[in-house]
Amino acid sequence: MVRALYSFLTWLIQPLLRRKLARRAVAEPGYAVAIPERFGHYTVPPDQGRVWIHAVSLGETRAAAILLAQLREQMPGLRLLLTNGTATGRAEGEKLLRPGDVQVWQPWDTPGAVARFLDHFQPGIGILMETEVWPNLTAACAARGVPLVLANARLNERSFVKTLRLDGLARPAYRALAAVWAQTEGDAARLRALGAPVQGVFGNLKFDATPDPMQREQGRIWRTALGRPVILLASSREGEEELLLKEIKAFPSAERSKFAINRGLNQSAPGVQWLIVPRHPQRFDEVAALIGRHGFPVSRRSTWGAMPPAATLDAASGVMDATAIDTATLEDRPSIWLGDSLGEMALYYSLSDVALLGGSFAPLGGQNLIEAAACGCPVVMGPHTFNFAEAAELAQAAGAAQSVSDMEAGCRAALTWVADPAQQRERADAAEAFAAAHRGACERTVRAIKDLMAKAD
């Protein structure tokens, strides 16, 4: 009865979903692509037997890429069916496709759309990445004998509490899964409490990612050429850029020595280059305008040539956005770099001496710190890291990260690190060692998938 009511509601709100997609497509045109696929209507020919991977958004798609690479290596001839839920996830997913692979949107969780999806593609196995468990989808797969697993599974305490409120809907959905492979013991305990068939704690696939070596090398070259520390606000979310800009304004160049002395820092420490990389590309222009409103020149990655510009703006240079600022301000305010590009986080982390972790200074649960660690970039985290609580605790215990109470404390910690090159180097080494120590989830997950497919045959 509970799922019947849920099914009626998901069917009823389909016009609202179409309206929401139309609104989002204004900022992100990708949401206007192939909308009928959302409701189980496809232009690609029917097929069967593919390995179906569902990765809802950007982060899950990058985790799927790690898994897919090893699956292809061990399963020659693998034919992929890839589904996504967001425009950024779909765009990233396109990079994973090979000739013969298929990519479509995740079906909206009505019985009709799910049935049409399964009838059309008849996948041999379904692999859901991290968190995506939908009641009608799991029930339909179980009824048809399609093994559906949850890989790299995570469920933080907040989500667990919310899910318990929908126990009559959630518990049957989790029970219908063929297997669950959790990231941590804490995730496993919460998933088991919902009835999920947890068959292993494999770690986080993202530890097995290898940062792009060309980006890492380019970042190191730029960092050496710049000759001053870079502090990065990584994958920032709405409101966090404002917090950082207010802190930077608290110590303009005329006050930098005073700021350093008050905090017992080397006086050269505040002579840093600040770099902001927003999490969502649709906010690039918004953040650029925000930087300008705070009185800072802004240099966008998209305008750089072979090298990034100097940290102090030359009013005659052609590399900065045309923000109207008088000469006195130019002397007193450093330029802010804006990372307005996709797929270059390895470059930004390798360029930086320390990263402030986006999503953790606003109550959003934090972004993943694993890529930063793998690039040897130590991390300062705000108080909100519930999405990756165990990874955050382990990183702090390893000396690769530090937790602080707010953005002011975060800036102080970052400045303290860059004021002491020996401490920064020690933290950077600890970050790389931390990332290396937790690899192996991919191999364990691939082995489990192959075992499950062999049993299904």
Side-chain angles (χ1 to χ4, degrees):
M1 288 296 295
V2 175
R3 189 160 62 85
L5 177 60
Y6 164 81
S7 298
F8 174 71
L9 291 174
T10 55
W11 174 82
L12 192 65
I13 65 174
Q14 287 178 99
L16 298 179
L17 173 63
R18 291 181 182 273
R19 193 177 305 170
K20 178 182 178 181
L21 292 171
R23 285 199 304 269
R24 295 199 68 173
V26 174
E28 296 180 81
Y31 281 100
V33 172
I35 288 177
E37 292 177 359
R38 303 262 191 184
F39 304 97
H41 302 290
Y42 309 99
T43 58
V44 295
D47 201 358
Q48 59 183 354
R50 293 179 181 272
V51 172
W52 162 37
I53 297 179
H54 174 60
V56 61
S57 193
L58 184 64
E60 292 86 353
T61 304
R62 288 175 175 165
I66 302 163
L67 179 61
L68 180 60
Q70 195 156 334
L71 281 172
R72 289 194 194 278
E73 185 177 314
Q74 297 194 28
M75 300 171 60
L78 178 149
R79 296 180 308 129
L80 173 68
L81 168 62
L82 178 64
T83 58
N84 304 98
T86 69
T88 52
R90 184 169 175 131
E92 185 73 12
E94 287 179 6
K95 303 173 186 177
L96 307 181
L97 303 180
R98 293 185 179 179
D101 291 342
V102 172
Q103 182 186 34
V104 295
W105 289 114
Q106 166 197 6
W108 183 237
D109 201 42
T110 61
V114 168
R116 287 188 291 273
F117 170 79
L118 293 174
D119 287 343
H120 194 90
F121 294 110
Q122 299 181 47
I125 186 172
I127 304 168
L128 309 176
M129 300 302 301
E130 299 197 6
T131 59
E132 284 288 292
V133 177
W134 292 88
N136 282 322
L137 188 62
T138 57
C141 287
R144 293 168 185 247
V146 178
L148 186 63
V149 304
L150 186 63
N152 212 40
R154 60 183 174 91
L155 184 69
N156 65 50
E157 187 64 32
R158 288 191 178 192
S159 296
F160 174 64
V161 171
K162 290 179 182 177
T163 304
L164 285 176
R165 297 172 189 161
L166 300 171
D167 186 74
L169 193 62
R171 192 172 295 275
Y174 280 99
R175 278 203 306 259
L177 295 168
V180 173
W181 304 308
Q183 292 186 19
T184 71
E185 291 291 350
D187 293 317
R190 289 184 286 271
L191 288 160
R192 286 193 185 101
L194 292 172
V198 178
Q199 296 184 4
V201 178
F202 290 171
N204 193 329
L205 286 169
K206 293 174 184 176
F207 279 110
D208 290 308
T210 302
D212 187 301
M214 293 182 65
Q215 289 189 25
R216 291 203 66 186
E217 181 62 21
Q218 186 177 31
R220 291 191 195 102
I221 292 170
W222 285 358
R223 183 174 165 187
T224 301
L226 183 64
R228 71 183 67 207
V230 176
I231 298 178
L232 163 66
L233 176 56
S235 297
S236 60
R237 304 285 290 274
E238 188 170 1
E240 293 182 314
E241 300 93 358
E242 180 94 29
L243 294 174
L244 176 64
L245 292 167
K246 287 179 178 178
E247 292 303 318
I248 298 173
K249 287 170 76 172
F251 44 89
S253 58
E255 297 292 322
R256 286 177 190 171
S257 295
K258 177 181 175 183
F259 181 90
I261 292 168
N262 286 346
R263 287 158 177 78
L265 302 176
N266 182 314
Q267 290 194 31
S268 65
V272 302
Q273 175 60 59
W274 299 92
L275 168 61
I276 299 174
V277 181
R279 171 69 173 170
H280 298 116
Q282 65 269 29
R283 298 189 60 241
F284 290 159
D285 290 343
E286 171 192 332
V287 174
L290 176 67
I291 295 169
R293 286 198 300 274
H294 276 267
F296 294 100
V298 55
S299 171
R300 300 178 68 145
R301 164 73 177 104
S302 56
T303 67
W304 298 357
M307 292 285 289
T312 302
L313 174 65
D314 176 353
S317 75
V319 297
M320 301 295 183
D321 287 348
T323 304
I325 297 177
D326 61 32
T327 304
T329 303
L330 294 179
E331 293 173 353
D332 200 45
R333 295 283 171 85
S335 67
I336 306 294
W337 288 354
L338 176 63
D340 61 342
S341 63
L342 287 173
E344 288 195 314
M345 285 310 299
L347 169 67
Y348 295 129
Y349 284 130
S350 299
L351 172 61
S352 304
D353 293 78
V354 57
L356 301 165
L357 186 67
S360 69
F361 293 94
L364 298 167
Q367 301 303 141
N368 203 317
L369 53 77
I370 293 172
E371 187 174 9
C375 291
C377 183
V379 170
V380 177
M381 309 174 291
H384 308 288
T385 55
F386 52 81
N387 281 338
F388 307 98
E390 187 161 327
E393 290 173 8
L394 290 172
Q396 185 161 240
Q402 179 178 335
S403 182
V404 296
S405 59
D406 54 27
M407 184 64 78
E408 180 183 2
C411 289
R412 288 181 182 179
L415 288 166
T416 299
W417 292 2
V418 300
D420 184 349
Q423 181 183 181
Q424 192 282 331
R425 184 65 259 166
E426 183 180 341
R427 293 274 188 176
D429 290 343
E432 290 198 72
F434 164 72
H438 290 84
R439 292 185 181 129
C442 189
E443 181 181 347
R444 291 186 282 271
T445 305
V446 169
R447 189 184 307 123
I449 289 171
K450 291 176 68 179
D451 289 346
L452 185 62
M453 292 180 71
K455 291 176 184 176
D457 290 342

